[in-house]
Amino acid sequence: MNSLAQIYDREFRVRALREQGWGRGLMAAAALIWLWIAYLLIFPFSAGQGSNSKPVECESRAFHQDSRKYAVSYRADAGERCDAERDWAPILAGLLLSLPLAALGTGLYATGTSATRTVAYATEIARLNATKEI
């Protein structure tokens, strides 16, 4: 292989590994957002209204259970302070922010992986073609 081909091969491999790295990073960012959303939904919390009032202990949104037979909303059961503390708008905004990150990260990682595998395949084929057949 001549020197220009080696330079191009090396640059192609570096670009593929860089794409893989960016894909991993974007998927990790999306996973961190998902973990934060899970924390907000699963764990109980306390809501305070100010320095003079005592904090109110609130149930988690995900495991809210009403003791009565008919369904009651979280706001009606836990109160307005608990509902306002863990509003749905920031949770949904985080989820919407994470979806493009996850999609782009998956695409970049898949592209980088396929490019790396293609280069490894082409190198192995060239090596096998260069050897003498027995």
Side-chain angles (χ1 to χ4, degrees):
M1 192 180 329
N2 64 20
S3 63
L4 287 177
Q6 288 176 347
I7 291 171
Y8 180 77
D9 182 55
R10 185 174 41 246
E11 288 176 0
F12 189 82
R13 288 175 192 259
V14 167
R15 191 170 47 245
L17 291 174
R18 190 178 309 127
E19 282 182 357
Q20 271 187 328
W22 274 103
R24 282 188 189 116
L26 290 174
M27 287 189 297
L32 287 174
I33 292 172
W34 292 336
L35 287 173
W36 179 247
I37 290 171
Y39 171 76
L40 291 176
L41 291 175
I42 292 173
F43 290 104
F45 57 97
S46 62
Q49 196 167 16
S51 60
N52 296 337
S53 65
K54 186 176 179 180
V56 176
E57 295 299 320
C58 303
E59 293 179 349
S60 69
R61 279 195 173 270
F63 298 119
H64 171 257
Q65 294 179 349
D66 186 23
S67 60
R68 295 168 280 206
K69 290 183 180 179
Y70 55 90
V72 175
S73 70
Y74 182 80
R75 182 178 205 163
D77 196 28
E80 288 188 25
R81 283 182 23 185
C82 292
D83 187 53
E85 186 72 23
R86 295 278 167 95
D87 190 22
W88 281 110
I91 294 172
L92 290 175
L95 181 64
L96 289 176
L97 174 70
S98 71
L99 293 177
L101 293 177
L104 186 61
T106 302
L108 284 173
Y109 183 76
T111 303
T113 301
S114 64
T116 303
R117 297 280 309 233
T118 302
V119 167
Y121 171 77
T123 303
E124 186 64 21
I125 292 296
R127 187 188 65 81
L128 290 173
N129 284 336
T131 61
K132 291 182 182 178
E133 291 187 20
I134 299 176

